[in-house]
Amino acid sequence: MTNAALARIVRENGGRPLIVPDRLPTPPVSPNRLSQPEQLSVMVVATFAADEPIGAIFGAARQLGPEFSFAVTGNSRKLAPELRDSMPANVRLTGFLPEHDYWQLMADCHVVLDLTLKTDCLVCGAYE
């Protein structure tokens, strides 16, 4: 359990919750802003689960155009074929990255985007 809202639901169902907050990570890399790319870079932390609005993210990437590049992490084999077929040119699927590469991508991007449609859900990318 990671938050009070979920603990309340457990109590309402007769359970005894224990809130155990996630430890804040210490990134093993530092941002490298010496060479700014021509594009603004967005890292999308994803697992391609049903609660992630990947279609909306692809739509935003399409609207923003070539001035933005999107790197989407996670197991892209779970990406729905219709979304894969409509993926904009400024989106790159990275697959799962080794830990150091994941942190380096995060450090080098201008924006980190981690979204869910679930209520009361803490997404790990939000505190990474």
Side-chain angles (χ1 to χ4, degrees):
M1 192 81 24
T2 57
N3 65 55
L6 294 176
R8 179 183 48 76
I9 293 168
V10 169
R11 269 190 225 93
E12 289 172 357
N13 286 285
R16 293 183 1 215
L18 174 63
I19 297 175
V20 181
D22 288 344
R23 179 185 62 79
L24 292 178
T26 302
V29 298
S30 297
N32 179 9
R33 295 287 182 224
L34 296 176
S35 60
Q36 290 288 327
E38 291 182 19
Q39 294 178 312
L40 293 174
S41 55
V42 179
M43 175 186 186
V44 179
V45 178
T47 62
F48 297 95
D51 67 295
E52 297 172 336
I54 300 298
I57 292 168
F58 283 7
R62 188 174 294 104
Q63 286 183 341
L64 289 169
E67 292 93 26
F68 287 79
S69 66
F70 286 71
V72 184
T73 67
N75 184 358
S76 59
R77 288 178 284 172
K78 294 168 52 179
L79 179 62
E82 63 273 7
L83 284 176
R84 185 180 302 276
D85 293 343
S86 69
M87 191 172 74
N90 60 336
V91 172
R92 172 176 60 95
L93 304 176
T94 69
F96 279 114
L97 296 170
E99 184 173 2
H100 185 270
D101 294 348
Y102 175 85
W103 284 107
Q104 192 64 60
L105 176 62
M106 186 173 282
D108 291 342
C109 283
H110 296 95
V111 175
V112 176
L113 184 63
D114 191 359
L115 301 176
T116 181
L117 300 173
K118 286 184 179 178
T119 303
D120 297 321
C121 179
L122 173 66
V123 290
C124 297
Y127 59 77
E128 292 175 342

